[in-house]
Every structure is written in C-alpha cells, then in structure tokens.
Amino acid sequence: MKKNPVLFLLFLFFLFSCKAEKPVIIDGIDYKTAIIGKWEAISLGKVMEQFNYALPCRFVFKKNGDYYYMYTGLAVREERTGSYELNLQQRPVEITFEQKKPLNAVMYGIIRFINAETIHTIFYYKNVMTRVYEFKETEIQIFKKVTDFTPQG
C-alpha cells in the first residue's frame, strides 16, 4: 500500500483547522457569546452627563465583530457603526471600538458583566483620553440586554 504524504498533510490541516476556539469564562460568563445582542443604557454616569450626553443610548453587538451605537448628545441623536474587539486576557476586560461611520475613529474602554443581562462600560475616544483600567462610579455606563428597543420619551 502506497502512502500519500499530500493526503496525510491535508488530513492534518483539516483536523487542526476544525478545532473550535475554547470559550474564555470570566466570573461564570462567556463574554464573547454573552455580549451578542441589543443593549440599552439605563445610566451614562456623571462624567458623560457633564458632556451633555443623555438617554436614549443603545448598542448592538454582532457575532461577526460589528457594532451599532446610538447615543444622544446635545439633544441630537447620533449613530455610529464599526467593529469591536474584546481583549479577554486583561482584567478588567478591554474593549476597543474601531468606528467606520460616519467617520473613522478609535475608542478604548473596559467592560464587565454584572450578570448575563447587565454590563458596565467605560470608554472614550482615543484622541480624548487613554484607556481606563478601573471602574470609577462616576464614569460607569450601565446597559441592560433587551429583546427589542423600547421607545423613550
């Protein structure tokens, strides 16, 4: 029986490329899976309010790494889209947003799950402030997972 090294290499390639990425569980939550979905802010924190940000404020995180962000600034609704990335090796977990529309920008932040339905975030535009590494109560933005966005007055 003649052995075919090309077939053997293809088999090895297929075997190793099909390995599923192991989830990283932090405090009982798989961040990469749990973040997927629609999130509505219930609080933006005192710092954001000082800069005239107000509710409603919403995120949609998609499995493919894209996000949609809507916020209210100076009583005007603003929308942003782009991609996001979680750094699960850092504590607190880092989140980086690469905004594509309406203009290119980068935002750095941190994120933590309080439970599967509530996240705390702090993030700022890279050119305004460097990445934060701790949760300060005045800066925390609180989001709740929702099945659909509810209209707000």
Side-chain angles (χ1 to χ4, degrees), residues 67 79-82 98-104:
Y67 75 90
E79 295 182 1
R80 306 286 187 255
T81 60
E98 289 197 32
Q99 180 181 303
K100 305 289 190 239
K101 290 183 181 176
L103 52 109
N104 290 341

Side-chain angles (χ1 to χ4, degrees), residues 85-134:
E85 184 176 347
L86 297 173
N87 180 351
L88 301 172
Q89 308 310 311
Q90 287 294 112
R91 298 297 181 274
V93 172
E94 295 176 350
I95 187 165
T96 301
F97 299 96
E98 289 197 32
Q99 180 181 303
K100 305 289 190 239
K101 290 183 181 176
L103 52 109
N104 290 341
V106 175
M107 293 182 285
Y108 288 144
I110 53 178
I111 185 171
R112 69 178 171 202
F113 278 85
I114 302 307
N115 54 50
E117 304 299 317
T118 307
I119 56 175
H120 286 180
T121 65
I122 300 174
F123 58 91
Y124 297 105
Y125 281 102
K126 176 184 169 184
N127 61 345
V128 174
M129 184 176 277
T130 60
R131 188 182 298 279
V132 293
Y133 290 97
E134 63 181 302

Side-chain angles (χ1 to χ4, degrees), residues 56 58 68 70-80:
R58 302 170 179 140
Y68 163 82
M70 188 281 293
Y71 65 93
T72 307
L74 296 171
V76 175
R77 178 182 163 153
E78 300 281 345
E79 295 182 1
R80 306 286 187 255

Side-chain angles (χ1 to χ4, degrees), residues 27 29 31 34-35 39-45 48 59 61 86 92-95 97 108-123 132-145:
D27 296 328
I29 305 271
Y31 274 52
I35 197 170
W39 298 86
E40 188 153 2
I42 58 172
S43 172
L44 296 179
M48 296 293 280
F59 265 114
F61 293 102
L86 297 173
V93 172
E94 295 176 350
I95 187 165
F97 299 96
Y108 288 144
I110 53 178
I111 185 171
R112 69 178 171 202
F113 278 85
I114 302 307
N115 54 50
E117 304 299 317
T118 307
I119 56 175
H120 286 180
T121 65
I122 300 174
F123 58 91
V132 293
Y133 290 97
E134 63 181 302
F135 286 95
K136 294 180 181 171
E137 292 304 313
T138 58
E139 296 180 70
I140 292 174
Q141 301 139 32
I142 303 171
F143 289 82
K144 290 280 190 187
K145 198 166 210 177

